[in-house]
Amino acid sequence: MLIVSHRDLLASAATTADRPRSLPARPPSYDKKIGLVLQGGGALGSYQAGVYEALASSEYSPDWVAGISIGAINAAIIAGNAPENRVERLRSFWDEVTGSTCRWLVAVWQQQKTSALTALLFGQPGFFTPRSSEEWFSLGNVISYYDTSVLKGTLERLVDFDRINKAKDVRLSVGAVNVRTGEFSYFDSANMTIRAEHIMASGALPPGFPPVEIDGEYYWDGGICSNTPLEYVLDCSPRRSRLTFQVDVFHPQGRLPTNLDQVSEREEDIRYSSRT
């Protein structure tokens, strides 16, 4: 999961909340729970922040947010902040991680490929850093290209985990894969204490990022098995009527690729698009 300079994506998505419009009032008799399902998708996760901003301006603010990979990070920021601070914290996260670590190179070539190249070479602030040369030439085996330890500090700064685990005004569920067993697991604030490590595990996409240890087991990005946590929300027991918003950032249908770049994009769309 690589984050490139997609600050404009958040800006364009969020402008919908600034447009004058008339939203229907929520009827007093409407007692459905509201869910928000966020896929993995790297920089495309900035769209999710814009979608949440639009939801926050309505009377249908979610009381359950489920996410995988970058969707888990956005979900944690939403669940781990007071309603009036959520949009600001989402903006803070995306402003930080999409900031270039090598501005001189981006200034020379203002292109998306250049932004991706700087991320590959130099990492992203507050998210991941390249392994040092000492690590590559040490006797130990390196199992990822990048180190994500800085992400823990970012999450603990932007997310109030006490709010998630004690206030519980918004339920948080994030998915990850057990490296040893290959089984898919959900870390759910409804039945366990959520820490920064659970969020990091959900976004630990190999071989870029290392697995994250939780209670003696190691976990990778949940998108390896399922990139959309809708089924988990719908299968919740006891069953009840629920309005759920799902943010799809990958298109299952598309054109036949005509070059290698398009092949890579199309392959990712098919692999990570919703199966629901």
Side-chain angles (χ1 to χ4, degrees):
M1 179 175 61
L2 290 178
I3 304 297
V4 296
S5 296
H6 275 59
R7 207 180 266 118
D8 289 341
L9 295 181
L10 176 58
S12 62
T15 52
T16 58
D18 300 326
R19 297 171 186 166
R21 66 209 185 285
S22 177
L23 292 176
R26 180 169 175 168
S29 60
Y30 190 94
D31 62 349
K32 288 184 180 180
K33 293 289 188 178
I34 310 296
L36 178 61
V37 172
L38 304 176
Q39 292 180 334
L44 297 175
S46 58
Y47 281 115
Q48 299 170 350
V51 170
Y52 175 75
E53 183 170 8
L55 276 179
S57 66
S58 74
E59 297 183 22
Y60 295 89
S61 182
D63 54 65
W64 186 2
V65 187
I68 288 176
S69 197
I70 195 65
I73 294 176
N74 284 332
I77 295 173
I78 293 169
N81 283 283
E84 64 271 17
N85 298 327
R86 291 168 185 166
V87 172
E88 177 187 353
R89 290 295 174 89
L90 285 167
R91 284 186 176 276
S92 295
F93 171 76
W94 283 100
D95 281 344
E96 179 174 348
V97 302
T98 57
S100 174
T101 55
C102 190
R103 295 186 181 278
W104 64 268
L105 184 58
V106 176
V108 176
W109 293 294
Q110 288 289 345
Q111 298 178 359
Q112 180 177 336
K113 289 183 180 180
T114 304
S115 298
L117 179 61
T118 59
L120 284 170
L121 295 177
F122 306 105
Q124 290 297 142
F127 203 128
F128 60 91
T129 56
R131 296 287 181 186
S132 66
S133 57
E134 288 80 5
E135 289 179 281
W136 286 109
F137 292 105
S138 66
L139 295 178
N141 292 324
V142 175
I143 60 173
S144 70
Y145 293 109
Y146 301 97
D147 177 17
T148 57
S149 57
V150 293
L151 179 58
K152 182 178 180 180
T154 300
L155 289 170
E156 291 179 340
R157 176 164 43 84
L158 296 177
V159 177
D160 183 352
F161 286 95
D162 283 339
R163 184 181 187 91
I164 293 173
N165 296 311
K166 295 179 180 179
K168 294 184 181 293
D169 52 343
V170 176
R171 180 176 175 179
L172 174 65
S173 307
V174 299
V177 177
N178 187 307
V179 178
R180 181 181 60 85
T181 67
E183 294 181 355
F184 193 88
S185 299
Y186 275 100
F187 306 122
D188 195 326
S189 64
N191 50 45
M192 66 184 301
T193 299
I194 300 294
R195 309 190 305 271
E197 287 82 0
H198 296 101
I199 313 304
M200 295 171 65
S202 183
L205 185 64
F209 300 157
V212 176
E213 188 268 333
I214 298 174
D215 300 330
E217 294 284 356
Y218 286 83
Y219 294 87
W220 270 332
D221 192 305
I224 295 176
C225 286
S226 175
N227 199 43
T228 308
L230 178 64
E231 186 175 355
Y232 182 76
V233 173
L234 298 183
D235 286 346
C236 176
S237 180
R239 299 291 294 273
R240 64 165 295 167
S241 182
R242 179 180 300 276
L243 172 63
T244 302
F245 296 92
Q246 176 175 300
V247 185
D248 286 336
V249 294
F250 291 98
H251 300 286
Q253 298 179 350
R255 297 178 179 178
L256 185 68
T258 59
N259 57 53
L260 287 177
D261 284 343
Q262 292 179 10
V263 168
S264 177
E265 292 176 3
R266 188 73 197 109
E267 185 268 340
E268 287 190 353
D269 278 346
I270 295 173
R271 176 183 297 184
Y272 296 117
S273 63
S274 175
R275 299 292 184 268
T276 53

